[in-house]
Amino acid sequence: MKKDKSAKPVTKPIEGVMDQKLSRRDILRLTGVGGLGLLLGGTGAGSLIAARKASEPAPAALAANADTIPFYGSHQSGILTPAQNFIVFASFDLTTTKLAEVKQLLEAWTTAAAALTSGSLIGNVNDNPNLPPSDTGEADGLSPSKCTLTFGVGPAFFDGRFGLASKRPSTFADLPAFAGDALEPQWCGGDLCVQACADDLQVAFHAIRNLARIARGTAVLRWTQEGFQRTGGADPKGGTPRNLLGFKDGTGNPDVTDAAAMQEIVWSGSGDGPAWMNGGTYMAVRRVQLRVEVWDRSPLSDQENTFGRYRQSGAPIGAKDEFADLNLEAKDAAGRPVVPPNSHSALSHGDGSVKILRRSYSYSSGMNLKTGQLDAGLLFISFQKDLVKQFVSIQQRLAKSDMLNEYILHTGSAVFACFPGVREGGYIGETLLG
Amino acid sequence: MKKDKSAKPVTKPIEGVMDQKLSRRDILRLTGVGGLGLLLGGTGAGSLIAARKASEPAPAALAANADTIPFYGSHQSGILTPAQNFIVFASFDLTTTKLAEVKQLLEAWTTAAAALTSGSLIGNVNDNPNLPPSDTGEADGLSPSKCTLTFGVGPAFFDGRFGLASKRPSTFADLPAFAGDALEPQWCGGDLCVQACADDLQVAFHAIRNLARIARGTAVLRWTQEGFQRTGGADPKGGTPRNLLGFKDGTGNPDVTDAAAMQEIVWSGSGDGPAWMNGGTYMAVRRVQLRVEVWDRSPLSDQENTFGRYRQSGAPIGAKDEFADLNLEAKDAAGRPVVPPNSHSALSHGDGSVKILRRSYSYSSGMNLKTGQLDAGLLFISFQKDLVKQFVSIQQRLAKSDMLNEYILHTGSAVFACFPGVREGGYIGETLLG
């Protein structure tokens, strides 16, 4: 438990506790995760619990649950988890060549991740003023904010440095070159990835910063990218967020609550590859810069034909409802397809037999100093059980003839094998390294 | 009024309307800002209003007020406005040399700003599918999110291109060089600035993107920087946000509700300079990169001595309460000052006679490709009625001996004269250009 020169007892009125958000410190105190001593010490927090009837649910537990995504489980969180408002994505290069040190890192990251996702600071922060604090502190006082941390390894991890070449899933490799790729090395690849998502950008940043700090001597950051979805002024109808081209993005995504579909699309199963990936999934990440200035000069009808959807409603061209099926057979009076065959929707959909789970974020990274234009775009992320059969087959269609290609530039690319979930007492990647 | 192929009547149940956030479109319909015709047209929106008792306050007006900061007024918003969660700051260079075109731009920006801050899309968005949409659309469906847009001109605006050299306030000039400056041209200066702040990053981005689009042919972006404060998982006690060094930032800021203090510190008055700046203020912007990796290796006691405050509580060293006065006379048993004289707090405070209003944001911009370290820091912004007497005098003290200098790097710098507020029917900068 961290010492705190200026800590005050929690003296919030009991009647308010169900309504208000609790701070990370409050939750720790109330749930006892970080400080059973304080709970029993007769402070406001202790009194608060004592005053409740035993039959009532503990308010802190409710508050914590609403704002906390469990870290431990059979799958990693941050995959089926409904997208939080922010992402800080980080790719790391290992600087060690000792597998034992990689394992130590993943064990240390596990301990840290359990703290970070539950809203706790890492370690005994203020125990010794003569040492650097064990947590960098900028999330102190902030709620857990649905923070999820999702870990994976890149194809390079199996290159022989660690004696794990034989463990590489047979189809797991860097993506092939796609027509029109404009990849820049500083946005590509990596030995390890951490996808930090949260409803508070400062919480997600704090997570990546502290994980990078813990990695010092073992791994270094290779690239990072922040991203956002709508972030506070959300559509009250809970509508599909819009990308920075002004179109709804994610309408056709599979239903994450459909367990059978997720097993078919996302999760690597027992017959799908090495046993260590059972319950894991493969991530494709593409940093897609949008040529917003060019897009903004295009007529609305061109924009809508490019997507194959109406901008305002998100409905497929020819339909009224955003979630109407994409009817690629429909013809207009002149016999032409209603939805252009080379539109982004039509090509992404193909014959409908191949699906991926998208979980993308917009990004805005100031100006591109080379072009003087906004460096804004999409951090495309998808999860699938087979990169080649799913992501690659769709992206090959798109790269070849998507009308959207005129307005986008793929500048970054990486793939990662995201481990199955972590069991309590275990560590990230245990099925591979254990 | 924009046409909408897929518009549906607003059929929200009346009893829920006080609780829910309304979308930008809903608010427009209900308040009639964007579409009196629709309001009176017997649609759901009209029925909703009609169904209310005349004595009840209009719910949409309440919702709009809670989420909308008025654009028109005697001062510009975004200065005393409590800091929203996000900023997108943009500096522009004028490409025209014709004052009439500058005036046209500021008039067009005024119309757009009134729409953007009230949650409206710009123009008759979907009127003609053969034209580019008048609004880029990514904020469609989002609430106004307390969007404020604050406009100013840089010293370069008075360099003679526009015949306005005689209108330059006598002390308004680029900042002097400070010890330790590491300024990079791409983060400095500009003819015009727009500070877009909102509780939704996508709303702030949308504003800057559309203002840049409107400026095409007259002005181009020179530099932009996104920033954030806590963004969703806020401290339920409403505490002071923490910067990325983990310390509370803004504790000693003057009280924006104290009109006399604001007149003394922030607003240029009738005796303070040219009449066109009456009710305006001067902005200093500094892009301050934090050497987080170095900071994170420093002992807590060093960090606290550097700030002159405790990290956890934010209280001055030797005090218990965050808002305790900074007592620079206090000595310890050995006769040494309790608060180090070269600490950031002590030097910022000085003799307490000179104050500024700070309104800074943290930023995280991926990695610095030169150093391989996180490019994270502070977009420092302050408002004051006299840059030389206020910001410069404080910054000179800090640049000379602030213990924090070891951990920070000033990479960007600009100053802007922020006009007085815009009257309805007027335009931004009218007192200067009118």
Side-chain angles (χ1 to χ4, degrees):
Chain A
M1 181 59 198
K2 51 189 172 286
K3 290 177 189 169
D4 179 1
K5 299 188 185 86
S6 62
K8 293 180 193 170
V10 176
T11 53
K12 295 277 175 194
I14 292 167
E15 61 275 16
V17 80
M18 298 295 287
D19 304 327
Q20 58 184 266
K21 286 189 182 170
L22 297 177
S23 80
R24 298 160 72 95
R25 296 179 64 83
D26 290 344
I27 289 165
L28 288 181
R29 285 175 182 156
L30 291 167
T31 59
V33 170
L36 196 61
L38 242 183
L39 253 187
L40 303 178
T43 66
S47 319
L48 191 151
I49 296 286
R52 296 190 60 78
K53 291 178 197 162
S55 60
E56 292 175 301
L62 287 181
N65 285 344
D67 204 35
T68 306
I69 309 288
F71 173 68
Y72 296 106
S74 56
H75 302 299
Q76 288 196 77
S77 58
I79 297 166
L80 304 194
T81 310
Q84 302 94 320
N85 290 336
F86 300 96
I87 188 171
V88 179
F89 188 88
S91 166
F92 290 85
D93 279 339
L94 286 160
T95 52
T96 182
T97 53
K98 300 199 176 96
L99 186 60
E101 291 185 0
V102 178
K103 186 180 164 191
Q104 280 166 19
L105 171 61
L106 293 173
E107 286 170 339
W109 273 3
T110 303
T111 306
L116 291 163
T117 54
S118 65
S120 174
L121 302 184
I122 298 169
N124 302 311
V125 177
N126 293 346
D127 261 3
N128 187 342
N130 298 317
L131 293 177
S134 54
D135 185 292
T136 59
E138 70 270 31
D140 191 1
L142 301 181
S143 80
S145 306
K146 296 186 180 161
C147 180
T148 58
L149 298 167
T150 313
F151 298 85
V153 287
F157 188 67
F158 302 95
D159 64 5
R161 276 173 292 167
F162 307 105
L164 292 174
S166 66
K167 299 280 188 108
R168 186 175 62 81
S170 59
T171 62
F172 182 53
D174 286 332
L175 294 173
F178 297 106
D181 271 0
L183 303 183
E184 302 173 29
Q186 70 263 33
W187 300 113
C188 293
D191 290 330
L192 297 170
C193 80
V194 186
Q195 173 197 271
C197 295
D199 279 345
D200 188 317
L201 179 53
Q202 188 140 327
V203 168
F205 172 83
H206 171 256
I208 292 298
R209 175 194 188 173
N210 280 273
L211 294 175
R213 185 181 183 219
I214 289 168
R216 193 169 291 151
T218 307
V220 294
L221 282 169
R222 181 181 173 89
W223 58 277
T224 72
Q225 178 65 57
E226 300 82 7
F228 58 95
Q229 293 207 356
R230 60 199 170 185
T231 55
D235 183 343
K237 302 179 200 74
T240 310
R242 293 179 185 275
N243 61 31
L244 298 186
L245 298 181
F247 279 69
K248 297 188 177 192
D249 199 329
T251 302
N253 232 7
D255 177 3
V256 295
T257 67
D258 180 341
M262 294 302 102
Q263 202 60 52
E264 192 188 338
I265 299 166
V266 175
W267 302 123
S268 188
S270 56
D272 294 322
W276 67 264
M277 272 297 284
N278 282 359
T281 181
Y282 297 90
M283 172 198 279
V285 194
R286 304 281 287 183
R287 187 175 186 272
V288 184
Q289 192 179 322
L290 302 176
R291 292 169 158 152
V292 292
E293 287 88 350
V294 181
W295 179 258
D296 290 348
R297 285 194 285 262
S298 305
L300 178 62
S301 57
D302 284 7
Q303 295 186 359
E304 294 186 333
N305 282 325
T306 298
F307 269 103
R309 290 182 176 273
Y310 296 120
R311 187 174 87 158
Q312 208 286 318
S313 67
I317 292 179
K320 299 249 175 203
D321 180 69
E322 178 190 347
F323 296 98
D325 283 338
L326 200 64
N327 182 355
L328 300 179
E329 307 303 319
K331 303 280 195 295
D332 66 13
R336 290 170 305 208
V338 171
V339 178
N342 287 346
S343 65
H344 186 69
S345 290
L347 285 171
S348 301
H349 185 268
D351 65 5
S353 65
V354 175
K355 292 187 165 71
I356 57 178
L357 179 66
R358 285 169 290 152
R359 205 170 182 286
S360 303
Y361 285 82
S362 293
Y363 76 81
S364 165
S365 296
M367 274 172 56
N368 182 322
L369 294 176
K370 282 184 238 165
T371 62
Q373 301 196 319
L374 290 170
D375 184 5
L378 189 74
L379 186 67
F380 172 94
I381 293 178
S382 70
F383 294 100
Q384 48 272 307
K385 71 196 300 181
D386 189 310
L387 283 163
V388 175
K389 288 185 188 154
Q390 294 171 275
F391 176 78
V392 172
S393 73
I394 293 171
Q395 182 55 26
Q396 276 170 337
R397 283 201 301 269
L398 293 172
K400 195 175 161 197
S401 39
D402 185 1
M403 291 165 72
L404 192 58
N405 290 341
E406 187 179 341
Y407 306 104
I408 66 177
L409 214 54
H410 285 245
T411 59
S413 180
V415 291
F416 296 96
C418 295
F419 304 113
V422 184
R423 61 175 180 84
E424 285 198 60
Y427 64 92
I428 298 155
E430 187 175 15
T431 56
L432 176 60
L433 276 68
Chain B
M1 184 59 199
K2 52 190 171 282
K3 289 177 190 170
D4 180 1
K5 300 188 187 86
S6 63
K8 292 179 193 169
V10 177
T11 53
K12 295 278 175 194
I14 291 167
E15 61 276 17
V17 80
M18 299 294 287
D19 303 327
Q20 59 185 266
K21 286 188 179 170
L22 297 178
S23 80
R24 298 160 72 96
R25 295 179 64 84
D26 290 345
I27 288 167
L28 287 181
R29 285 176 181 154
L30 292 167
T31 59
V33 170
L36 196 60
L38 243 183
L39 251 188
L40 302 179
T43 66
S47 317
L48 192 151
I49 295 286
R52 297 190 59 77
K53 291 179 195 160
S55 60
E56 291 174 302
L62 288 180
N65 285 343
D67 203 35
T68 306
I69 309 288
F71 173 67
Y72 296 107
S74 56
H75 301 299
Q76 288 196 77
S77 58
I79 297 167
L80 304 194
T81 310
Q84 301 94 319
N85 290 336
F86 299 97
I87 188 171
V88 179
F89 188 89
S91 166
F92 289 86
D93 279 339
L94 287 159
T95 52
T96 182
T97 53
K98 298 198 176 98
L99 187 61
E101 289 184 2
V102 178
K103 185 180 164 191
Q104 280 167 19
L105 171 62
L106 293 174
E107 286 171 339
W109 273 4
T110 303
T111 305
L116 291 163
T117 55
S118 67
S120 173
L121 302 184
I122 297 170
N124 302 311
V125 177
N126 292 346
D127 260 3
N128 187 342
N130 298 317
L131 292 176
S134 55
D135 184 292
T136 59
E138 69 270 30
D140 192 2
L142 301 181
S143 80
S145 307
K146 296 186 180 161
C147 181
T148 58
L149 298 167
T150 313
F151 298 85
V153 286
F157 188 68
F158 301 95
D159 63 5
R161 276 173 293 169
F162 306 105
L164 292 174
S166 65
K167 298 282 187 107
R168 186 175 62 82
S170 60
T171 61
F172 182 53
D174 286 333
L175 294 173
F178 297 106
D181 270 1
L183 304 183
E184 302 173 30
Q186 71 264 33
W187 301 113
C188 293
D191 290 331
L192 297 170
C193 80
V194 186
Q195 173 197 269
C197 295
D199 279 345
D200 189 317
L201 178 54
Q202 188 141 327
V203 168
F205 172 84
H206 170 256
I208 293 297
R209 175 194 187 173
N210 281 272
L211 294 175
R213 185 182 183 219
I214 290 167
R216 194 171 290 152
T218 307
V220 295
L221 282 169
R222 181 181 173 91
W223 58 277
T224 72
Q225 178 65 58
E226 299 83 8
F228 58 95
Q229 293 207 355
R230 60 197 170 188
T231 56
D235 182 343
K237 303 181 197 72
T240 310
R242 293 179 185 276
N243 61 31
L244 298 186
L245 298 180
F247 279 68
K248 297 189 177 191
D249 198 330
T251 301
N253 232 6
D255 177 4
V256 295
T257 67
D258 180 342
M262 293 303 101
Q263 202 59 53
E264 191 187 340
I265 298 167
V266 176
W267 303 123
S268 188
S270 56
D272 293 323
W276 68 266
M277 272 296 283
N278 281 359
T281 182
Y282 297 90
M283 171 199 279
V285 194
R286 305 281 286 184
R287 188 176 187 271
V288 184
Q289 192 178 322
L290 301 176
R291 292 170 157 151
V292 292
E293 287 89 349
V294 180
W295 179 259
D296 289 349
R297 285 195 286 262
S298 304
L300 178 62
S301 58
D302 284 8
Q303 295 186 357
E304 294 186 330
N305 282 324
T306 298
F307 270 104
R309 291 182 175 273
Y310 295 120
R311 187 173 86 158
Q312 209 286 318
S313 67
I317 292 180
K320 299 248 174 205
D321 181 70
E322 178 189 346
F323 296 98
D325 283 337
L326 199 64
N327 181 355
L328 301 179
E329 307 302 319
K331 303 280 194 294
D332 67 13
R336 290 171 305 208
V338 170
V339 178
N342 288 346
S343 65
H344 187 68
S345 290
L347 286 171
S348 301
H349 185 269
D351 65 5
S353 64
V354 175
K355 291 187 166 69
I356 57 179
L357 179 66
R358 284 169 291 151
R359 206 168 181 288
S360 303
Y361 285 82
S362 293
Y363 75 81
S364 165
S365 295
M367 273 172 54
N368 182 321
L369 295 175
K370 283 183 234 163
T371 62
Q373 301 197 318
L374 290 170
D375 184 5
L378 189 74
L379 186 67
F380 172 94
I381 293 178
S382 70
F383 294 101
Q384 48 272 308
K385 71 196 300 181
D386 189 310
L387 284 163
V388 175
K389 287 186 190 155
Q390 293 170 274
F391 176 78
V392 173
S393 72
I394 294 172
Q395 183 55 26
Q396 276 172 337
R397 283 200 302 269
L398 293 172
K400 195 174 161 196
S401 39
D402 185 0
M403 292 165 72
L404 192 58
N405 290 340
E406 187 179 343
Y407 306 103
I408 66 177
L409 215 54
H410 285 245
T411 59
S413 180
V415 291
F416 296 96
C418 294
F419 303 114
V422 183
R423 62 176 180 83
E424 286 199 59
Y427 65 92
I428 298 155
E430 187 176 14
T431 56
L432 176 61
L433 276 70

